[in-house]
Amino acid sequence: GAGVSQSPRYKVAKRGQDVALRCDPISGHVSLFWYQQALGQGPEFLTYFQNEAQLDKSGLPSDRFFAERPEGSVSTLKIQRTQQEDSAVYLCASSTRDRFGTDTQYFGPGTRLTVL
Amino acid sequence: DQQVKQNSPSLSVQEGRISILNCDYTNSMFDYFLWYKKYPAEGPTFLISISSIKDKNEDGRFTVFLNKSAKHLSLHIVPSQPGDSAVYFCAASAAPFGNEKLTFGTGTRLTIIP
């Protein structure tokens, strides 16, 4: 597709369940980012991949959060034993260096996670 | 602590007039700045960016101004159109041309009044 896609768009989980959120970046984009956006706030960085290498995971809030990008394309964000404070929109963005030498992150529509 | 601040949660502007959205930052390591626009139930859409080596960048109706000494940037939209009604996020990166995590402000909701 032309843009970043994410699935599912909406996910309702019971507290304690595990969830997996998928991101399909723009074809050929080297970099992939995950952000978490709470209601009324701006997106907050979770983790960053360059190809299959996870270069920065400093934003992951706990060891219940895990992300992977095994083949350098599709990425999955997994949250184990979900808690109510995990309720948020999870945004994925991809980027690659353009001919001007800049990297612009293009975002997907997000997955809205509600934990009951 | 909030490293990127958008102090106006909302702004209303008459159609055809200029909209000015403001953003302040505290981290002097930030080197690249972006504005994103967000409609409900959609992801942020990139609008315009500026490197710290510039003080102005223009793209059609959108102009971004950067004042490094004041750690302040602003987005000007002129003329404002009803389709510009959205939430606008300011974002900053410590990498010279991006390619690093973005730090976002909390957003300003812009409403264009027909």
Side-chain angles (χ1 to χ4, degrees), chain B residues 24-78:
Chain B
D24 296 290
Y25 61 96
T26 57
N27 188 342
S28 57
M29 299 300 292
F30 287 146
D31 221 1
Y32 188 66
F33 303 89
L34 308 91
W35 284 94
Y36 284 85
K37 169 181 176 179
K38 189 180 183 303
Y39 293 121
E42 295 183 14
T45 302
F46 170 71
L47 269 180
I48 192 168
S49 62
I50 187 166
S51 165
S52 61
I53 61 174
K54 294 186 170 184
D55 55 18
K56 176 183 172 181
N57 189 27
E58 197 171 345
D59 184 1
R61 298 186 299 114
F62 302 92
T63 303
V64 55
F65 296 91
L66 175 63
N67 182 334
K68 279 191 299 181
S69 59
K71 293 192 176 71
H72 177 83
L73 65 157
S74 61
L75 174 68
H76 293 211
I77 306 172
V78 55

Side-chain angles (χ1 to χ4, degrees), chain A residues 6 9-10 35-44 88-92 105-112, chain B residues 6 9 21 34-48 62 75 77 82-91 104-111:
Chain A
Q6 292 186 246
R9 291 293 314 276
Y10 303 91
Y35 293 85
Q36 179 190 60
Q37 185 175 18
L39 194 62
Q41 301 297 313
E44 291 197 0
V89 174
Y90 290 84
L91 294 163
C92 175
Q105 293 181 31
Y106 295 93
F107 283 81
T111 295
R112 180 177 294 278
Chain B
Q6 293 178 257
L21 296 99
L34 308 91
W35 284 94
Y36 284 85
K37 169 181 176 179
K38 189 180 183 303
Y39 293 121
E42 295 183 14
T45 302
F46 170 71
L47 269 180
I48 192 168
F62 302 92
L75 174 68
I77 306 172
D84 296 331
S85 294
V87 177
Y88 288 77
F89 290 98
C90 169
F104 284 83
T106 52
T108 296
R109 180 178 299 279
L110 175 65
T111 302

Side-chain angles (χ1 to χ4, degrees), chain A:
Chain A
V4 178
S5 60
Q6 292 186 246
S7 61
R9 291 293 314 276
Y10 303 91
K11 176 71 179 176
V12 178
K14 290 184 180 176
R15 189 161 49 102
Q17 275 186 332
D18 297 349
V19 298
L21 313 180
R22 177 187 168 107
C23 173
D24 284 81
I26 294 171
S27 178
H29 276 198
V30 168
S31 300
L32 186 145
F33 300 81
W34 283 98
Y35 293 85
Q36 179 190 60
Q37 185 175 18
L39 194 62
Q41 301 297 313
E44 291 197 0
F45 170 77
L46 292 176
T47 187
Y48 159 51
F49 290 86
Q50 194 167 84
N51 296 305
E52 68 278 4
Q54 189 174 19
L55 298 187
D56 186 350
K57 53 182 181 178
S58 62
L60 296 176
S62 77
D63 58 8
R64 296 186 296 104
F65 286 72
F66 172 76
E68 60 183 5
R69 194 186 184 197
E71 296 176 0
S73 178
V74 170
S75 177
T76 304
L77 176 67
K78 297 179 180 177
I79 309 173
Q80 297 178 322
R81 304 181 304 281
T82 52
Q83 299 178 7
Q84 284 192 314
E85 60 262 31
D86 300 334
S87 296
V89 174
Y90 290 84
L91 294 163
C92 175
S94 71
S95 73
T96 201
R97 181 106 351 139
D98 63 21
R99 66 184 189 277
F100 302 109
T102 58
D103 267 79
T104 298
Q105 293 181 31
Y106 295 93
F107 283 81
T111 295
R112 180 177 294 278
L113 173 65
T114 303
V115 181
L116 302 177

